[in-house]
Amino acid sequence: MSEVITPMTLIPIGVVKSPIKEPTPERLNLKEIFSEIIINENLTEALDGIEGFSHIIVLYWMHRATPAKQRLKGHPMGRTDVPEQGIFAVRTPHRPNPIGKSTVRLLERRSNILKVQGLDAIDGTPVIDIKPYIPGYDSARDATTPDWVVRDE
Amino acid sequence: MSEVITPMTLIPIGVVKSPIKEPTPERLNLKEIFSEIIINENLTEALDGIEGFSHIIVLYWMHRATPAKQRLKGHPMGRTDVPEQGIFAVRTPHRPNPIGKSTVRLLERRSNILKVQGLDAIDGTPVIDIKPYIPGYDSARDATTPDWVVRDE
């Protein structure tokens, strides 16, 4: 706690090209969303080996999130049938640090371009990290959720 | 792409209290690591509802990562038996944006304190986001990895 923390400033490592052009309140069928992640050319080599993974984790900066909308609680996905939840208990983009995290299928890597399926980020979103998806480390086989959560399984 | 991107600066939302005091190159048995996440008191209400989830995703700033060590490729976990991989194909903390992501079991929430099992972050690590773990959205049932990856399943 007594350590000096340097400023936590992110640098973009790439950008999302997506058919989703605007934020939508609705839940998307992510299986139908095919996007490209264009990584900065000077970082191309840092992708070497990623093609060995079927899935990757994408961290991105939700640049269209509105600070004015940032409250500590809200109805998940605007569903007024569900009691208000804390923002850390839902996946709203309106959070103290607007970082999105998606697990997506990696369809193809071509040099600095990743073709992916299921990316929940709009066109132009700055990408801040790519990580390989590692079953067991990134998944929890016995995970449980409240009843209001719609699960994709 | 033509949009003006505001600076991507993170604010800490809390801090990790962990029995792990120093970075270690070895792979830890995460099941044996019990930590606390102390969320800033002004954000306590934002945790409401998180106790309904068995697992959460923790995003944190790996403040002890050394920029000098940052290269585009390296041996995963220092294993020289494995060919060098791009840093986006491994989970090294030495990456352009030193953000860590862990899926952990939530054992207890008490006001602004989360007790968790399996957090791969050292004592004093700034926390930048808490998200609920949602099976299907955050997991990939049929995921495959290269042979060099040690899977926890």
Side-chain angles (χ1 to χ4, degrees):
Chain A
M1 300 272 239
S2 59
E3 297 182 58
V4 175
I5 306 289
T6 51
M8 303 190 290
T9 303
L10 301 168
I11 53 170
I13 63 159
V15 68
V16 171
K17 280 190 67 169
S18 173
I20 317 172
K21 303 298 179 192
E22 292 292 325
T24 50
E26 298 89 45
R27 188 177 166 80
L28 298 164
N29 185 350
L30 291 171
K31 287 208 178 77
E32 294 173 0
I33 308 292
F34 295 87
S35 316
E36 287 184 350
I37 300 169
I38 318 292
I39 298 294
N40 300 350
E41 286 184 11
N42 63 327
L43 294 171
T44 301
E45 200 188 353
L47 291 171
D48 289 357
I50 196 77
E51 54 280 336
F53 293 84
S54 66
H55 291 75
I56 59 174
I57 294 166
V58 185
L59 299 183
Y60 46 94
W61 185 259
M62 298 183 286
H63 62 303
R64 296 279 294 275
T66 317
K69 281 192 190 164
Q70 195 176 295
R71 303 188 303 143
L72 294 186
K73 297 184 88 166
H75 294 289
M77 315 207 65
R79 286 174 51 190
T80 49
D81 60 312
V82 179
E84 287 200 326
Q85 306 291 320
I87 49 170
F88 295 140
V90 298
R91 298 296 280 256
T92 175
H94 309 295
R95 35 206 323 117
N97 295 301
I99 297 178
K101 176 231 159 250
S102 291
T103 297
V104 301
R105 183 178 292 276
L106 177 60
L107 301 171
E108 187 188 345
R109 175 209 170 183
R110 213 174 52 238
S111 185
N112 65 319
I113 298 173
L114 303 174
K115 291 199 175 195
V116 299
Q117 181 182 17
L119 181 56
D120 203 359
I122 66 169
D123 195 53
T125 299
V127 177
I128 55 178
D129 203 5
I130 301 287
K131 297 181 191 291
Y133 175 86
I134 299 179
Y137 183 78
D138 291 307
S139 58
R141 219 173 350 184
D142 58 343
T144 57
T145 65
D147 287 339
W148 62 260
V149 174
V150 181
R151 295 167 59 141
D152 287 318
E153 284 178 312
Chain B
M1 303 272 240
S2 58
E3 298 180 60
V4 176
I5 307 288
T6 51
M8 302 190 291
T9 303
L10 300 169
I11 54 170
I13 63 159
V15 67
V16 172
K17 279 190 69 168
S18 173
I20 318 171
K21 302 297 180 194
E22 291 292 324
T24 51
E26 298 89 46
R27 186 179 168 81
L28 298 165
N29 184 352
L30 291 171
K31 286 208 178 78
E32 294 174 0
I33 309 293
F34 295 86
S35 316
E36 287 185 349
I37 300 169
I38 318 292
I39 297 296
N40 300 351
E41 284 184 12
N42 63 327
L43 294 171
T44 301
E45 199 188 356
L47 291 171
D48 288 358
I50 197 75
E51 55 279 337
F53 293 84
S54 66
H55 291 75
I56 59 174
I57 294 166
V58 185
L59 299 182
Y60 46 95
W61 184 260
M62 298 183 285
H63 62 304
R64 295 280 292 274
T66 318
K69 280 192 191 164
Q70 196 176 296
R71 303 189 303 142
L72 293 186
K73 298 183 87 164
H75 295 289
M77 315 208 67
R79 286 173 51 189
T80 50
D81 61 311
V82 178
E84 287 200 325
Q85 307 290 320
I87 48 169
F88 295 141
V90 297
R91 298 295 282 255
T92 175
H94 309 295
R95 38 207 321 118
N97 295 302
I99 297 177
K101 177 228 157 255
S102 290
T103 297
V104 301
R105 183 179 292 275
L106 177 61
L107 301 172
E108 186 187 347
R109 174 209 170 182
R110 212 174 53 238
S111 184
N112 65 320
I113 299 174
L114 303 175
K115 292 200 174 196
V116 300
Q117 181 181 18
L119 181 57
D120 203 358
I122 66 169
D123 194 52
T125 299
V127 176
I128 55 178
D129 204 5
I130 301 287
K131 296 180 192 291
Y133 176 85
I134 299 178
Y137 184 79
D138 291 306
S139 59
R141 216 170 357 179
D142 58 343
T144 57
T145 66
D147 288 339
W148 63 260
V149 174
V150 180
R151 295 166 61 143
D152 286 315
E153 285 178 311

